[in-house]
Amino acid sequence: MEKNQEIALTEMRKAVQKLGTSTEKYGDPTLMRFLIARSMDPDKAAKMFVQWHKWRASFVPNAFISDSEVSDALEDRKIFLQGLSKDGYPLMIVKASKHFPSKDHLQFKKFVVHLLDKTIASSFRGREIGNEKLIGILDLQQISYKNVDARGLITGFQFLQSYYPERLAKCFILNMPWFFVSVWRMVSRFLEKATAEKIVIVSNEDETKNFIKEVGEETLPEEYGGRAKLVPLQDVVLAPMED
């Protein structure tokens, strides 16, 4: 590790302590995510870490949100978890045509946490290192106006930015219809620059080739140019965590 990074980590740990929280249970890779998300500023990273820590304790008191807590959203079978990409990132697919805006926004937030937590956990080799990332695919094929959920999309990206810093490796958007362009323009206003740079709208043959190459045919389902079958999120059983 570079000297500058070591200094920043030490300063961040001190700043977190001053704010009344401990970093004791968290290794350098976890703290580095917060530092990177805040341009290596220890005080800003500490503030972000403390906000995340408090949010996690109140919103996810059992450390995870179980299937039973989000059973209605899981019934739609709109999220798929495909194993690891070529670079070792878990691949999550959202089929937007099966999604309808939730009337219960708190319940929707729980579902977002459930799917992000489970996707990240699917990449653990028995134990979390703290720097695991994920690849997301948002498939807009066959969506109609009733599937459009700008608020839900904004919530998803805001959660990634505030509570899952540096967890997103890439997000590919496929099959964007013309009427969704204005929706996406609005959603984009809520994205931090670092998040926006990780989003790729796949709209031509070359971009499709690059997308398949980056994810890997082994992991990509057949309908996206790969060789795998779609695996619904709730059908994925995670290995028990090591203590």
Side-chain angles (χ1 to χ4, degrees), residues 6-235:
E6 280 179 33
I7 293 166
L9 283 163
T10 305
E11 292 298 315
M12 181 186 165
R13 286 185 190 276
K14 284 182 196 161
V16 168
Q17 233 165 349
K18 276 184 195 162
L19 293 167
T21 305
S22 168
T23 57
E24 207 180 322
K25 289 181 187 167
Y26 303 94
D28 292 350
T30 298
L31 302 185
M32 273 306 297
R33 286 192 293 107
F34 288 87
L35 277 165
I36 293 165
R38 289 297 171 261
S39 306
M40 298 306 286
D41 182 315
D43 290 325
K44 286 181 181 171
K47 196 177 168 192
M48 187 188 196
F49 176 86
V50 170
Q51 283 169 342
W52 165 76
H53 200 264
K54 285 177 179 165
W55 167 79
R56 195 85 203 169
S58 64
F59 200 79
V60 200
N62 303 324
F64 67 95
I65 287 171
S66 64
D67 285 21
S68 59
E69 290 176 77
V70 290
S71 54
D72 286 358
L74 286 170
E75 265 173 31
D76 296 338
R77 293 177 98 77
K78 60 191 169 196
I79 311 283
F80 301 85
L81 191 49
Q82 294 300 130
L84 304 182
S85 75
K86 214 168 75 223
D87 294 327
Y89 304 135
L91 176 67
M92 177 186 75
I93 299 172
V94 181
K95 281 194 170 282
S97 62
K98 295 185 173 194
H99 172 78
F100 301 95
S102 175
K103 291 179 179 71
D104 183 341
H105 203 55
L106 177 64
Q107 197 58 23
F108 177 74
K109 286 177 177 177
K110 282 188 174 184
F111 183 59
V112 170
V113 171
H114 172 81
L115 68 93
L116 289 175
D117 280 0
K118 189 165 181 179
T119 301
I120 292 160
S122 72
S123 70
F124 297 169
R125 304 284 188 276
R127 159 194 296 255
E128 182 178 2
I129 293 167
N131 59 1
E132 293 86 357
K133 294 179 186 283
L134 63 93
I135 291 178
I137 292 176
L138 177 59
D139 181 6
L140 301 173
Q141 184 143 33
Q142 292 183 316
I143 64 162
S144 63
Y145 287 106
K146 61 180 185 289
N147 304 119
V148 172
D149 186 7
R151 186 189 184 190
L153 260 179
I154 291 163
T155 297
F157 281 114
Q158 283 183 331
F159 267 44
L160 271 168
Q161 290 174 168
S162 301
Y163 307 129
Y164 296 83
E166 291 300 305
R167 287 295 203 189
L168 183 65
K170 239 356 157 20
C171 175
F172 294 97
I173 301 181
L174 310 181
N175 306 307
M176 189 184 282
W178 61 269
F179 69 81
F180 197 84
V181 174
S182 56
V183 177
W184 182 247
R185 208 170 283 146
M186 188 185 78
V187 171
S188 298
R189 290 189 201 136
F190 293 85
L191 302 182
E192 291 169 7
K193 186 170 176 278
T195 306
E197 284 170 355
K198 292 171 186 170
I199 295 167
V200 179
I201 297 168
V202 178
S203 56
N204 61 41
E205 213 172 304
D206 284 347
E207 287 166 355
T208 302
K209 276 181 193 162
N210 288 337
F211 153 69
I212 294 169
K213 196 174 161 190
E214 194 162 336
V215 177
E217 289 181 25
E218 296 298 315
T219 313
L220 262 183
E222 289 164 351
E223 63 193 90
Y224 304 114
R227 292 198 289 271
K229 298 275 184 244
L230 277 168
V231 185
L233 179 73
Q234 60 269 50
D235 292 357

